[in-house]
């Protein structure tokens, strides 16, 4: 699989995402939304950064189970119950992303939602990857 990150000069410089990702490969993996659920199905972590780290870890675990790696991610959507809080924690969330997934950012969006399936959940991530 190959991915090409495209960031046109006419758009604002991206920080923590790519404007577009061109992916070519033979398998597309659709990743279900992941929150900070632990192995017992309970939301782990009280803070947004704690929950983000667990949700991303869960998303990457699902990806790894398919044979994929973080560099195969083509698109990730972040659903947050409080975008202002997400923005306030953005530097820390970025450090967590780089620690777990590296610097090859997929195309991304952050969307504020009223609530998530589990009432205690503050953030959910879903996406898709293109594997060789």
């Amino acid at each position: 699989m190959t991915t090409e990150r495209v960031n046109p000069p006419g758009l604002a410089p991206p920080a923590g995402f790519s404007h577009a990702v061109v992916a070519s490969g033979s398998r597309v993996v659709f990743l279900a939304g992941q929150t900070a659920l632990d192995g017992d199905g309970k939301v782990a972590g009280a803070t947004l950064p704690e929950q983000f780290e667990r949700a991303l870890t869960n998303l990457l675990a699902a990806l790894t189970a398919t044979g994929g790696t973080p560099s195969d991610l083509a698109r990730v959507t972040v659903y947050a119950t409080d975008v202002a809080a997400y923005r306030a924690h953005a530097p820390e969330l970025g450090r967590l992303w780089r620690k777990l997934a590296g610097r090859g950012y997929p195309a991304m969006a952050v969307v504020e939602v009223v609530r998530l399936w589990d009432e205690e959940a503050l953030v959910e991530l879903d996406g898709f990857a293109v594997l060789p």
Side-chain angles (χ1 to χ4, degrees):
M1 195 261 331
T2 62
T3 57
E4 175 191 1
R5 273 66 167 136
V6 179
N7 294 298
L11 298 179
F17 70 97
S18 294
H19 283 291
V21 176
V22 178
S24 60
S26 61
R27 292 178 45 209
V28 176
V29 177
F30 295 91
L31 299 161
Q34 299 293 325
T35 60
L37 292 181
D38 63 17
D40 294 325
K42 306 234 187 280
V43 173
T47 69
L48 179 60
E50 290 170 337
Q51 288 196 19
F52 180 87
E53 182 173 20
R54 182 59 187 238
L56 179 56
T57 297
N58 291 347
L59 186 80
L60 295 176
L63 176 59
T64 299
T66 70
T69 67
S71 64
D72 297 323
L73 286 169
R75 172 91 173 133
V76 171
T77 303
V78 178
Y79 304 93
T81 58
D82 185 344
V83 168
Y86 189 93
R87 289 177 63 95
H89 289 286
E92 184 177 0
L93 301 178
R95 284 190 295 277
L96 290 168
W97 180 279
R98 290 186 296 278
K99 177 179 91 171
L100 296 170
R103 292 184 172 270
Y105 299 110
M108 295 181 74
V110 177
V111 178
E112 185 170 81
V113 296
V114 173
R115 66 162 291 210
L116 296 164
W117 184 262
D118 296 298
E119 289 187 33
E120 305 86 8
L122 303 173
V123 65
E124 182 171 335
L125 288 80
D126 73 7
F128 70 88
V130 180
L131 281 60

